[in-house]
Amino acid sequence: MSQAKENDISVFCAQGPSHIPPQASGALSGLSFVFKDLFDVEGFTTGAGNPKWLASHGAATHTSPIITRLLASGAECKGRVQTDELAYSLNGQNIHYGTPVNPKAPDCLPGGSSSGSVVCVANEFVDFSIGTDTGGSVRVPASYCGIYGLRPTLGKIDLSHSFTLSESFDTAGIFARDLKILGEVFELLQSSANDEASTAAKALYLESSLAKFMSPERLEQFVQSCEQANIPLYKTDFLAANGFTFEHLSLLFRTIQGYELVTTHKDWLAAYGDSLDPSILVRVEWSQGISHEEYQEAKQQQAQFTQCLAEHITEMSGLLVLPTTPAGPPKLTMAGEALAAYRTELMGLTSLAGLSGFPQLHIPLPGLAEGPCGVSLLGLADSELSLLATAQQLDNKGNE
């Protein structure tokens, strides 16, 4: 498999750093990583995927504690990598720097906004990478590029000294081809001890209204994995039973995210907003019309949804299963209108973990006719170790 070339500006950021050696020997010695262009490194400028952002900001005075901890544990950093502008897209396209090639489906989108992060792992340039996930920016590209991707519990990994998109949803996430490596990186980076059980779930529950997005082949492969792992799979109707529609959850998420983006970056958007990709600028302009009252109402509904979902998962005594994406990665040639409609469906799927702040782990399913995609496990806050243990039990590639 061809690796990313370090002069490929669709993947790597020209402002650097292009390399940081390990600062000590440790648990991650011998492993390499890249990080998304949202994290600060002292002496270098964070670009947030936009040349005007890069030019209008100075060099960072601190380094992200994520990067510091990885280097102190023996990992080698092989560079800063691209993101969709302001992390406000799930496609992996950037009109300024280009679209990274999806190593598993070259005629398809790689997914974003953690585009460089996912591509460098999928093409085996590095062992793992660091991205961010607000509305799906780790889970979606992991699905499109056929690797593992973890969105941890909100606040589980320290996001200081990094770009803020939406404080209600922003998380740091991890990509890896190997579950064991992903787990080691997560345990190293988590900012608080995890007291939850690290054993596999005794039952899995597939939401009926979301199962429609799984092709018969994808569903059959996952059912077989459950059978081989001796984990029963049940159906559940949480969304319908509680009156949560797919479209409403997507709108609820976008309302909170959009309001927080334009509130946090109001001055910069006023000065440089016209530098954004037109498809992203349209979402910014929509967000600028959200009132404070609409935002407060959305926050109240978010709290209600989170409480209902927590009660449901607790009652099930298991993990929720959902398709990470509606299908395999969209073609690069998909028209803008169709892509916008697809995005609404996609954000409905990603909104469950986003709104609740609960962790979600994407598991790739190989060899599907629809292209790279898979399923996700979603659990209560701080259940990452259970997600990882369950995925290992389901895995049929010998990583148990």
Side-chain angles (χ1 to χ4, degrees):
M1 183 179 294
S2 62
Q3 291 190 345
K5 296 180 180 178
E6 294 181 41
N7 60 354
D8 182 352
I9 64 168
S10 73
V11 179
F12 296 95
C13 299
Q15 77 268 28
S18 59
H19 179 262
I20 312 176
Q23 301 302 299
S25 296
L28 301 183
S29 289
L31 300 180
S32 60
F33 74 98
V34 292
F35 66 93
K36 187 176 183 176
D37 186 25
L38 299 185
F39 296 97
D40 292 346
V41 174
E42 183 179 357
F44 296 87
T45 305
T46 300
N50 178 279
K52 288 290 187 183
W53 185 279
L54 182 66
S56 60
H57 288 77
T61 57
H62 297 83
T63 298
S64 160
I66 293 173
I67 296 172
T68 299
R69 190 171 295 186
L70 293 173
L71 296 171
S73 298
E76 173 191 10
C77 177
K78 297 179 76 171
R80 179 194 300 270
V81 291
Q82 298 288 6
T83 172
D84 296 33
E85 293 177 85
L86 310 189
Y88 204 30
S89 174
L90 294 172
N91 295 336
Q93 297 168 308
N94 190 306
I95 62 170
H96 308 287
Y97 303 118
T99 302
V101 175
N102 182 332
K104 300 293 181 67
D107 60 341
C108 295
L109 294 174
S113 60
S114 306
S115 54
S117 300
V118 72
V119 164
C120 283
V121 174
N123 64 24
E124 302 182 15
F125 180 73
V126 291
D127 299 295
F128 68 93
S129 64
I130 303 301
T132 63
D133 190 309
T134 301
S137 291
V138 166
R139 294 162 286 164
V140 171
S143 178
Y144 290 174
C145 291
I147 62 175
Y148 296 99
L150 174 67
R151 173 200 165 95
T153 303
L154 184 70
K156 195 72 177 178
I157 296 178
D158 188 350
L159 271 178
S160 58
H161 306 301
S162 65
F163 172 88
T164 298
L165 169 57
S166 172
E167 62 182 2
S168 291
F169 305 132
D170 288 352
T171 62
I174 306 163
F175 295 99
R177 298 182 303 277
D178 182 278
L179 267 177
K180 184 174 181 292
I181 290 176
L182 193 155
E184 289 173 348
V185 174
F186 167 72
E187 292 205 59
L188 180 79
L189 291 179
Q190 62 176 330
S191 56
S192 59
N194 199 326
D195 297 325
E196 293 293 315
S198 59
T199 55
K202 292 183 168 43
L204 299 176
Y205 293 81
L206 176 62
E207 173 67 33
S208 297
S209 61
L210 304 185
K212 66 182 182 180
F213 292 108
M214 295 180 71
S215 66
E217 183 188 17
R218 182 165 31 157
L219 180 58
E220 181 181 358
Q221 187 178 141
F222 182 68
V223 168
Q224 289 178 353
S225 294
C226 291
E227 290 174 350
Q228 292 166 3
N230 268 335
I231 303 177
L233 177 64
Y234 303 107
K235 286 186 178 179
T236 182
D237 291 295
F238 163 71
L239 295 178
N242 288 276
F244 297 117
T245 68
F246 204 58
E247 295 74 18
H248 179 65
L249 290 177
S250 177
L251 178 60
L252 191 62
F253 181 90
R254 289 184 288 120
T255 298
I256 297 170
Q257 178 193 46
Y259 182 87
E260 292 183 349
L261 168 69
V262 299
T263 300
T264 302
H265 302 296
K266 180 180 179 180
D267 293 343
W268 188 90
L269 290 168
Y272 304 106
D274 59 359
S275 71
L276 294 169
D277 182 325
S279 65
I280 293 177
L281 183 57
V282 165
R283 293 199 291 276
V284 170
E285 291 173 341
W286 175 83
S287 299
Q288 288 169 332
I290 301 167
S291 69
H292 183 67
E293 290 73 24
E294 289 171 326
Y295 170 71
Q296 293 286 15
E297 172 62 24
K299 289 293 292 181
Q300 290 176 10
Q301 292 184 36
Q302 177 195 7
Q304 293 166 1
F305 171 78
T306 301
Q307 181 178 348
C308 284
L309 183 59
E311 290 172 353
H312 180 65
I313 296 176
T314 301
E315 185 179 338
M316 290 190 310
S317 293
L319 299 175
L320 203 60
V321 177
L322 62 155
T324 310
T325 57
K331 299 290 186 184
L332 289 167
T333 53
M334 181 180 277
E337 244 177 66
L339 199 57
Y342 173 85
R343 175 183 167 84
T344 300
E345 286 188 345
L346 179 60
M347 291 201 70
L349 289 173
T350 62
S351 66
L352 273 73
L355 289 168
S356 65
F358 294 164
Q360 181 176 334
L361 172 66
H362 169 71
I363 303 171
L365 296 177
L368 297 175
E370 62 195 293
C373 60
V375 300
S376 279
L377 303 179
L378 187 151
L380 293 171
D382 302 320
S383 64
E384 289 89 351
L385 298 184
S386 179
L387 299 183
L388 290 162
T390 305
Q392 288 193 353
Q393 192 163 322
L394 291 167
D395 182 36
N396 61 0
K397 294 192 283 294
N399 290 334
E400 292 81 12

